[in-house]
Amino acid sequence: MKVVAKPIEVVSWTDMKGNINPIRFRFLEKDESYKVIKINKVIHKDLEKLCGNPMIIYRCSAAVNGQQRLFEIKYELNTCKWILFKI
């Protein structure tokens, strides 16, 4: 996987315990168009502190251009921002 660290917009749902479950996300490509990725499966969820900033890391799989790909998205708890970290 390659580190890209792009800001993304995420559609997610939250259960009654407060667990966040991402469904799909989109990001701006170089040609100023949006690319939408539908998440098929969340493989692993973990909590990490990066420079003292707590983040939830989601390792997911999705079909991108007809090919199954793994990627990581991160949710910053302090700023409530999502990042496409690796793809």
Side-chain angles (χ1 to χ4, degrees), residues 7-10 24-28 34-37:
I8 56 174
E9 297 174 348
V10 177
R24 67 178 176 260
F25 65 91
R26 74 178 187 170
F27 59 92
L28 201 57
Y34 281 102
K35 173 96 173 174
V36 177
I37 307 289

Side-chain angles (χ1 to χ4, degrees), residues 9-61:
E9 297 174 348
V10 177
V11 175
S12 64
W13 63 276
T14 307
D15 64 14
M16 293 172 68
K17 294 179 183 177
N19 298 317
I20 302 168
N21 301 290
I23 299 170
R24 67 178 176 260
F25 65 91
R26 74 178 187 170
F27 59 92
L28 201 57
E29 293 193 298
K30 292 178 184 176
D31 64 352
E32 299 296 319
S33 66
Y34 281 102
K35 173 96 173 174
V36 177
I37 307 289
K38 183 178 181 280
I39 298 170
N40 293 339
K41 184 178 181 181
V42 175
I43 299 166
H44 189 305
K45 178 182 165 185
D46 200 14
L47 185 64
E48 138 181 304
K49 276 194 173 181
L50 185 63
C51 299
N53 188 11
M55 296 181 160
I56 302 174
I57 301 170
Y58 296 89
R59 178 167 285 161
C60 307
S61 68

